[in-house]
């Protein structure tokens, strides 16, 4: 089988379809947050049970990402993506038609299984369509699309659900997924996964891989130890009324989108610095909220800083995996996505455990200190990276000892046009 690169307009169309898919998956994941009460009333279940539609979704992604990526590692990416998007469309339609809570939960878990593999497959496919020197911008475009789900997708879906009932925005998710499915099925060529331009890291580094993975877990745990209880913090500590808290959520989402956009523009030139800056900014935002969150103006400033870092942290760790993956990039991305989602679940649980002991400010202190720990991991990893490291062999490349101070990516032949 010969891998061929699609025409330039095909590449752009496939990238847009992948961006739409990222937006759709993230919207599907978080949409129940805005529809909690509507679903609760319609299906006659308690609000906490509806909340499990989000928690169970995240845990499924965390647990299933790496095993699914391993099982599907030999499936051509076009077939994998069309299968995943078909699962998204079918499960979303099933969710929209669900007449009981348990049917809705099963449909949600099917969507979560599709999303667990989607992030691992989508990254190498998207960046492999373009030259290595612009791949950071491609990662940035995908991250912007994913972030738009929180700024646009969930608020719009919430409004539509309030006007027409909660099944309508869920069905709309299926329609958006169908657009992505048709575009990718028609325009993306079929190729073996191992033959794709971004199938392997440009600078394989076991030590760097471990550093980035640990950084992502600590950052996610720290962020969601506080963010899960941000409404409580803004109301009880900062003293904002409920309407203002809603507006601050919008500001948080806009800051996240702005942070992702800015980071995407810098990612190709400063891949390591952008990761460090994002984690450090998150630490400053969380510790600032703990220390000065009783002042409303200071709370807004540090909230925006935290929001501006939340999206870029995951985005920069994903980009780092495309460089430092010691084996296949899809497996590295799956490991990173699974670890990050596990960190989200652990952070929410940790914050809940801290609340009775040190109130909500304590949750932000705990989260901030964990994020400082992530900064320390990056610093230690940077110091260790100056020592020579042997990269283990895989089936296609020999073992080699490299000096990690030389980060010049090895040249890789691109498939023939």
């Amino acid at each position: 089988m010969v891998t061929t690169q699609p025409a330039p307009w095909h590449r752009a169309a496939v990238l847009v379809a992948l961006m739409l898919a990222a937006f759709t998956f993230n919207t599907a994941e978080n949409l129940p947050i805005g529809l909690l009460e509507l679903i609760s009333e319609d299906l006659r279940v308690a609000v906490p049970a509806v909340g499990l539609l989000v928690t169970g979704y995240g845990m499924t992604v965390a647990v299933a990402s790496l095993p699914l990526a391993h099982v599907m590692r030999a499936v051509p990416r076009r077939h994998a993506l069309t299968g995943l998007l078909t699962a998204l469309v079918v499960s979303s339609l099933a969710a929209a038609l669900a007449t009981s809570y348990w049917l809705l939960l099963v449909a949600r878990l099917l969507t979560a299984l599709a999303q667990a593999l989607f992030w691992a497959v989508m990254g190498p496919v998207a960046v492999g369509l373009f030259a290595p020197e612009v791949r950071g911008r491609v990662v940035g475009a995908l991250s912007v699309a994913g972030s738009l789900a929180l700024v646009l997708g969930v608020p719009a879906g919430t409004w539509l659900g309030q006007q027409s009932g909660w099944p309508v925005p869920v069905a709309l998710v299926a329609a958006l997924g169908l657009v992505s499915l048709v575009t990718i099925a028609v325009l993306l060529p079929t190729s073996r996964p191992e033959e794709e331009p971004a199938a392997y890291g440009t600078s394989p580094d076991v030590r760097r891989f471990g550093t980035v993975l640990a950084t992502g877990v600590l950052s996610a745990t720290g962020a969601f130890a506080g963010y899960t209880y941000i409404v409580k913090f803004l109301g009880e500590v900062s003293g904002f009324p409920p309407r203002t808290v809603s507006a601050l959520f919008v500001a948080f989402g806009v800051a996240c989108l702005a942070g992702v956009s800015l980071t995407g523009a810098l990612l190709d030139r400063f891949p390591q610095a952008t990761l460090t800056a994002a984690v450090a900014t998150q630490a400053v935002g969380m510790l600032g909220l703990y220390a000065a969150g009783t002042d409303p103006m200071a709370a807004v400033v540090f909230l925006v800083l935290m929001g501006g870092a939340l999206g870029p942290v995951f985005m920069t760790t994903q980009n780092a995996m495309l460089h430092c993956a010691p084996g296949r990039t899809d497996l590295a991305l799956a490991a990173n996505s699974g670890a990050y989602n596990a960190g989200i679940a652990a952070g929410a649980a940790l914050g809940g455990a801290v609340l009775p002991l040190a109130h909500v400010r304590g949750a932000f202190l705990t989260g901030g200190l964990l994020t400082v720990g992530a900064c320390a991991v990056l610093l230690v990893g940077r110091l260790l990276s100056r020592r020579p490291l042997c990269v283990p062999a895989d089936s296609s490349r020999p073992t080699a000892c490299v000096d990690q101070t030389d980060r010049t990516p090895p040249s890789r032949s691109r498939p023939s046009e």
Side-chain angles (χ1 to χ4, degrees):
M1 186 183 298
V2 178
T3 304
T4 58
Q5 280 290 85
W9 75 269
H10 281 197
R11 301 179 199 179
V14 170
L15 178 60
V16 171
L18 290 172
M19 292 172 64
L20 178 60
F23 170 83
T24 305
F25 267 116
N26 273 11
T27 300
E29 179 178 7
N30 295 285
L31 191 56
I33 294 175
L35 303 174
L36 283 178
E37 293 186 358
L38 293 175
I39 296 174
S40 173
E41 293 174 2
D42 186 48
L43 299 183
R44 298 179 181 179
V45 294
V47 169
V50 182
L52 289 176
L53 296 175
V54 178
T55 305
Y57 192 109
M59 288 301 299
T60 301
V61 173
V63 172
S65 291
L66 189 55
L68 282 177
H70 182 74
V71 170
M72 301 290 287
R73 66 190 183 281
V75 178
R77 303 295 85 170
R78 174 172 170 267
H79 297 164
L81 282 170
T82 53
L84 295 174
L85 289 168
T86 299
L88 170 64
V89 172
V90 171
S91 61
S92 297
L93 285 176
L97 296 173
T99 55
S100 73
Y101 171 79
W102 294 109
L103 289 175
L104 178 59
L105 179 61
V106 170
R108 289 277 299 170
L109 294 181
L110 176 58
T111 308
L113 287 172
Q115 180 165 334
L117 184 59
F118 172 76
W119 294 116
V121 174
M122 175 264 292
V125 169
V127 301
L129 294 171
F130 299 89
E133 57 268 20
V134 299
R135 288 179 177 176
R137 275 175 274 177
V138 175
V139 173
L142 295 169
S143 297
V144 167
S147 298
L148 275 173
L150 296 178
V151 180
L152 177 62
V154 174
T158 301
W159 177 84
L160 186 59
Q162 292 170 343
Q163 305 302 313
S164 308
W166 68 266
V168 175
V170 177
L172 184 58
V173 166
L176 294 176
L178 183 61
V179 174
S180 297
L181 168 61
V182 172
T183 304
I184 289 171
V186 172
L187 297 181
L188 186 66
T190 302
S191 62
R192 293 190 182 98
E194 66 273 11
E195 294 177 345
E196 294 179 349
Y200 295 95
T202 55
S203 302
D205 186 340
V206 175
R207 200 177 283 144
R208 175 71 176 163
F209 171 79
T211 297
V212 173
L213 203 63
T215 299
V217 171
L218 284 172
S219 297
T221 305
F224 283 85
Y227 178 66
T228 306
Y229 308 98
I230 189 65
V231 172
K232 185 177 182 67
F233 184 95
L234 293 174
E236 296 183 6
V237 177
S238 302
F240 289 110
R243 288 186 179 180
T244 305
V245 170
S246 299
L248 289 175
F249 258 113
V250 175
F252 186 94
V254 171
C256 181
L257 182 60
V260 166
S261 302
L262 177 61
T263 303
L266 300 173
L267 203 51
D268 287 311
R269 295 181 61 191
F270 311 105
Q272 295 193 44
T274 48
L275 173 56
T276 303
V279 176
T281 301
Q282 179 179 303
V284 170
M286 298 197 73
L287 292 177
L289 282 168
Y290 164 73
T294 53
D295 178 78
M297 290 301 296
V300 171
V301 171
F302 289 116
L303 180 70
V304 168
L305 283 176
M306 182 182 172
L310 191 60
V313 169
F314 181 67
M315 168 187 173
T316 50
T317 58
Q318 289 287 84
N319 182 69
M321 289 298 172
L322 293 170
H323 293 285
C324 71
R328 287 266 295 272
T329 51
D330 55 352
L331 296 178
L333 289 169
N336 190 56
S337 178
Y340 193 88
N341 277 277
I344 291 175
L350 178 61
V354 170
L355 284 180
L357 302 175
H359 196 56
V360 70
R361 287 183 67 199
F364 276 81
L365 174 61
T366 302
L369 292 176
L370 283 169
T371 311
V372 170
C375 292
V377 168
L378 283 175
L379 176 61
V380 172
R382 190 66 180 271
L383 294 175
L384 291 177
S385 69
R386 300 182 181 183
R387 299 170 55 188
L389 175 69
C390 289
V391 180
D394 60 26
S395 58
S396 61
R397 293 174 296 174
T399 300
C401 288
V402 296
D403 182 355
Q404 296 302 304
T405 58
D406 180 8
R407 293 290 179 178
T408 304
S411 60
R412 286 190 180 276
S413 59
R414 294 177 63 79
S416 58
E417 296 289 340

